[in-house]
């Protein structure tokens, strides 16, 4: 079974004919706030916060209706309008509601709405908060276009909209040079990935005459291995850009320059999940391109280890969580690269990750709010007593991400490790190693931030966040705890119509019937224990020690990949530019200037013959006549 092979979308009727409102509501919120000016300052942020919740309520109604349909009929297509009609090209803007898109719809609007609510407290005193909320609504609308499109061309519109919104939000505090640079970096790096997606779409149009999912899926099996593999690799390039996978991940750590709610939105519900969606949605392509599919899995496992490595070395709480996001998205890409056996686990982990990562990012924002925006964990310590709600909710997210039984991450991540081991044992072992490293750096974060001795800076008086900020934390913490139990026995069957294989014997209880589950738990506990020995039993110095291991040094410098780009790609570009400039200066310019010099010299000689004397002209005429006569005589003789 391939993606959408058993699903034939039916035309929207009844409530489904209003599916366009899912996108229109947050888009209208963005337009009102960004075009309304100062008149919307007082009530605009509240309107913007209602927008994603309104889309969530409508999406929940669609979910309930689809749930009541037989599995083979859970796909509805709502044609909005004809977009392009030129010759034989016909493209329609249409919305596809199926198990995959609805799962993303509820995540984007549900978690996104909670982040909006949190932002009401976090950004309360920012003079530009109206513009901030307008950008947040734009981000939600763009992501909904991406996941609800029924073809790759409209998906690309949302893809670019997400890139624009991320640029605007990462560089929101553009008066800071670091924030402005981070926004530009995210925008430029993502253009590299976007080129890959564009090449994939152009190839689809050339080969299939359409970019509609149903047409591409039906024609994938008839495509030559070379072309279908090319499309698979180009889709992977696009996914690497948006989902911050190696080697296009370098923008993600710098993106922490944006306000913390932006980090939560990017990491939990929108941008970085787009690449996973793209790969799973393109399952029919990857089913015919095993080499490209294996490349997806390899990129995923490399990224999950690289992100974990970075997370171990950082003292900036947001950058630790950013490295964690790289790593967890890597798990999802690994699962997607396994094929149908991993699709359900990829989306399962994406949904659980959306809750516990938003929970922890917003928790980090509460810590910063209480410590004068300090992000250095070496300046924290002992915050558990001063911020009890933040500590408890963050702690639930911590238990979820490291995979403690009964918490959500244990169900989804253990499933990925087991599926990876059964598919490719080497990949499974590397994913298992990543679980142990995750437990280490997340335990380090908890110990350095909330436990141990106080290391607060002068003038810092930690306090709990206001209700507008901690209420979303509580809701997200509940999801971090129980979502795994709820989805474990259900998500596989829900996604089965789009090509996923439903796991066997999945229940709300943790499954320790496979030996890998026991090994994962032991490895996680070892990671926790090592972190406790290194950071829980010893005082944490206020400044990072200089005599650290090469492992830590490399991690602090983000694996030196930025430096490699600067010296390799940028340095090579500079060298090429200098070479072209040399050729231009000493080749092209020299040739042009030399031709001019010859012309001037010739003109100087010829000019001397134009002296104005009649005798000179007469002599010239005589010489010419004699020369002509000599030529004629010689011609006759020959």
């Amino acid at each position: 079974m391939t993606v959408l092979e058993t699903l034939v979308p039916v035309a929207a009727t009844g409530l489904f004919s209003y599916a366009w409102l899912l996108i229109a509501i947050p888009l209208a919120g963005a337009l009102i706030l960004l075009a309304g000016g100062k008149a919307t300052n007082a009530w605009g942020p509240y309107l913007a916060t209602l927008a994603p919740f309104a889309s969530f309520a409508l999406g929940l109604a669609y979910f309930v209706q689809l749930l009541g349909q037989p599995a083979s009929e859970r796909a509805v297509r709502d044609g909005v309008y004809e977009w392009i009609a030129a010759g034989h090209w016909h493209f329609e803007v249409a919305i596809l509601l199926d198990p995959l898109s609805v799962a993303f719809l509820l995540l984007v609007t549900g978690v996104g709405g909670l982040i909006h609510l949190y932002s009401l407290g976090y950004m309360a005193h920012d003079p530009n908060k109206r513009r901030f909320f307008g950008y947040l609504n734009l981000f939600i609308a763009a992501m909904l276009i991406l996941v609800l499109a029924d073809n790759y061309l409209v998906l690309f519109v949302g893809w670019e909209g997400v890139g624009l919104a991320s640029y605007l939000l990462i560089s929101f505090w553009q008066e800071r040079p670091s924030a402005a640079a981070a926004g530009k970096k995210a925008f430029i790096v993502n253009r590299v990935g976007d080129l890959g997606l564009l090449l994939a779409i152009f190839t689809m149009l050339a080969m299939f005459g359409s970019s509609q999912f149903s047409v591409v899926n039906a024609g994938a099996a008839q495509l030559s291995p070379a072309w279908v593999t090319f499309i698979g690799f180009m889709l992977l390039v696009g996914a690497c850009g948006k989902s911050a996978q190696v080697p296009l991940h370098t923008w993600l750590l710098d993106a922490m320059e944006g306000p913390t709610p932006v980090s939560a939105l990017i990491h939990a519900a929108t941008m970085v999940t787009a690449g996973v969606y793209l790969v799973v949605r393109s399952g029919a392509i990857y089913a015919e391109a095993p080499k490209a599919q294996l490349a997806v899995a390899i990129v995923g496992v490399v990224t999950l280890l690289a992100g974990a490595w970075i997370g171990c070395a950082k003292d900036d709480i947001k950058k630790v969580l950013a490295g964690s996001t790289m790593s967890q998205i890597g798990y999802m890409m690994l699962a997607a690269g396994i094929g149908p056996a991993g699709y359900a686990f990829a989306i399962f982990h994406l949904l659980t990750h959306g809750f516990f990562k938003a929970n922890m990012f917003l928790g980090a924002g509460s810590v910063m709010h209480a410590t004068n925006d300090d992000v250095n964990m070496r300046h924290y310590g002992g915050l558990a007593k001063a911020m009890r709600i933040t500590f408890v909710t963050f702690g639930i997210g911590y238990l979820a991400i490291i995979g403690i039984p009964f918490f959500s991450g244990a169900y989804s991540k253990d499933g990925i490790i087991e599926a990876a081991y059964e598919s490719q044992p080497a990949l499974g072992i590397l994913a298992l190693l990543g679980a142990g490293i995750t437990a280490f750096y997340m335990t380090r974060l908890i110990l350095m931030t909330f436990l141990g001795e106080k290391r607060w800076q002068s003038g810092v008086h930690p306090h709990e966040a206001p209700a507008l900020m901690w209420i979303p934390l509580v809701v997200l913490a509940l999801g971090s705890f129980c979502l795994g139990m709820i989805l474990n026995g259900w998500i596989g069957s829900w996604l089965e119509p789009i090509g996923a294989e439903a796991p066997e014997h999945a229940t709300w209880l943790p499954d320790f019937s496979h030996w890998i589950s026991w090994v994962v738990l032991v490895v996680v506990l070892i990671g926790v224990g090592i972190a406790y020995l290194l950071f829980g039993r010893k005082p944490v110095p206020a400044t990072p020690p200089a005599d650290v291991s090469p492992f830590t040094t490399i991690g602090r410098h983000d694996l030196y990949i930025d430096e490699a780009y600067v010296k390799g790609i940028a340095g090579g570009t500079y060298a090429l530019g200098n070479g072209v400039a040399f050729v231009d200066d000493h080749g092209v310019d020299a040739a042009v200037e030399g031709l001019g010099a010859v012309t001037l010299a010739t003109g100087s000689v010829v000019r001397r013959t134009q002296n104005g004397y009649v005798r000179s002209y007469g002599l010239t005429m005589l010489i010419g006549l004699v020369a002509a006569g000599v030529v004629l005589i010689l011609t006759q003789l020959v």
Side-chain angles (χ1 to χ4, degrees), residues 437-498:
I437 302 174
T438 300
F440 170 81
Y441 69 76
M442 287 306 303
T443 303
R444 172 180 179 266
L445 184 152
I446 285 287
L447 293 171
M448 292 180 67
T449 302
F450 294 103
L451 304 176
E453 297 296 326
K454 302 175 183 179
R455 301 182 301 278
W456 308 338
Q457 297 291 287
S458 176
V460 171
H461 304 285
H463 54 280
E464 189 55 81
L468 278 175
M469 293 173 64
W470 64 253
I471 288 174
L473 294 181
V474 172
V475 176
L476 291 167
L478 288 173
S480 301
F481 172 66
C482 65
L483 192 63
M485 301 180 194
I486 296 171
L487 297 182
N488 192 43
W490 171 81
I491 188 68
S493 59
W494 170 253
L495 293 173
E496 196 169 13
I498 59 100

Side-chain angles (χ1 to χ4, degrees), residues 527-578:
V528 172
I530 294 174
Y532 176 74
L533 291 175
L534 294 178
F535 299 97
R537 301 181 62 183
K538 300 177 181 178
V540 176
T543 57
D547 55 335
V548 295
S549 67
F551 180 93
T552 302
T553 301
I554 294 171
R556 286 179 179 175
H557 290 83
D558 303 337
L559 313 186
Y560 289 105
I561 293 178
D562 271 330
E563 287 83 352
Y565 284 160
V566 169
K567 293 182 180 179
I569 297 177
T573 303
Y574 288 142
L576 178 62
N578 291 333

Side-chain angles (χ1 to χ4, degrees), residues 55-119:
S55 293
F56 176 78
L58 185 58
L60 195 60
Y62 291 145
F63 166 70
V64 172
Q65 288 203 26
L66 289 179
L67 195 60
Q69 299 294 323
S72 60
E73 299 177 13
R74 290 176 182 165
V76 177
R77 184 179 183 273
D78 179 25
V80 181
Y81 67 92
E82 188 174 54
W83 182 21
I84 299 173
H88 68 282
W89 296 109
H90 292 274
F91 299 101
E92 186 178 15
V93 174
I95 291 174
L96 176 65
L97 293 169
D98 71 347
L100 182 60
S101 62
V102 169
F104 273 83
L105 163 64
L106 296 178
L107 174 70
V108 171
T109 55
V111 174
L114 291 172
I115 293 171
H116 277 68
L117 182 62
Y118 176 95
S119 299

Side-chain angles (χ1 to χ4, degrees), residues 506-527:
T507 66
W508 67 273
L509 290 170
D511 182 15
F512 284 98
S513 61
H514 198 293
W515 62 269
I516 290 181
S517 299
W518 290 102
V519 174
V520 172
L521 181 57
V522 170
V523 170
V524 165
L525 294 177
I526 291 173

